[in-house]
Amino acid sequence: MLFRSRRRLVVFALAFLAILLPGQVWNLSRPAEYRATARIQVTPGDITMPRSSTPLPTGAVAPPQEPQSGALLAQVQILTSRPLLEKVATALAAAGRPLGVRDDAAALQLQAMIQVTAAPGTDVLELQAIGNPPETLAAALNSLVEIYRNQLESSHGNLATDRLAQARDEVGRLEKAV
């Protein structure tokens, strides 16, 4: 009886080691995968694209606003667009963290590294960067958020200027009518 127990123990230990060792070698030989994440809240009501500068005729109804999910998905596309990622690559290179590829391929590498997803039921976008080196991932996400914010501020300023001009035109038209 004791002999059978030892034999079972030896067979189990050999089978266990025969499976464990190659698995551990494979697992430890893989390169490390680094991740950086960030979340930003986007208020779709504030992200209206400028409409045409012609005022609506009296009694006309404004077209309905895009549903919230559509506006949020549009921001996902903007965040992963090539022009924005080219600006991020330029900012990273200027900060001393080049991606190690040609300038024209840097945006493609960033597109492969960065994923943007909308959190269901919220106005929050989750940005996730996966790759190497880890310092570049966090810097890339920070640069992306900063450049995106600057772009939004610029578009909001242009939108405010356009709406102010429309309001002034409307006031001038009403003064003539009075």
Side-chain angles (χ1 to χ4, degrees), residues 61-137:
V61 179
Q65 290 291 326
E66 214 173 43
Q68 189 174 22
S69 62
L72 205 58
L73 292 177
Q75 298 311 305
V76 169
Q77 289 179 343
I78 290 171
L79 278 164
T80 57
S81 68
R82 185 179 176 106
L84 197 65
L85 292 177
E86 286 174 348
K87 292 177 184 177
V88 170
T90 304
L92 287 174
R97 296 185 190 269
L99 294 172
V101 294
R102 298 181 325 265
D103 289 340
D104 57 342
L108 291 175
Q109 183 177 0
L110 284 172
Q111 277 182 328
M113 286 175 26
I114 296 175
Q115 299 172 356
V116 180
T117 55
T122 65
D123 295 337
V124 175
L125 297 178
E126 182 174 3
L127 291 80
Q128 186 174 39
I130 302 171
N132 274 329
E135 305 85 28
T136 303
L137 299 176

Side-chain angles (χ1 to χ4, degrees), residues 7-77:
R7 196 171 100 194
R8 285 183 182 172
L9 183 63
V10 169
V11 169
F12 172 77
L14 289 175
F16 182 74
L17 288 175
I19 293 172
L20 176 74
L21 290 177
Q24 286 299 323
V25 167
W26 176 79
N27 195 25
L28 295 175
S29 67
R30 291 184 303 161
E33 181 180 271
Y34 297 100
R35 291 176 186 249
T37 60
R39 287 183 175 216
I40 59 173
Q41 182 175 3
V42 178
T43 308
D46 295 341
I47 307 171
T48 54
M49 293 298 157
R51 294 189 182 146
S52 65
S53 59
T54 58
L56 290 174
T58 307
V61 179
Q65 290 291 326
E66 214 173 43
Q68 189 174 22
S69 62
L72 205 58
L73 292 177
Q75 298 311 305
V76 169
Q77 289 179 343

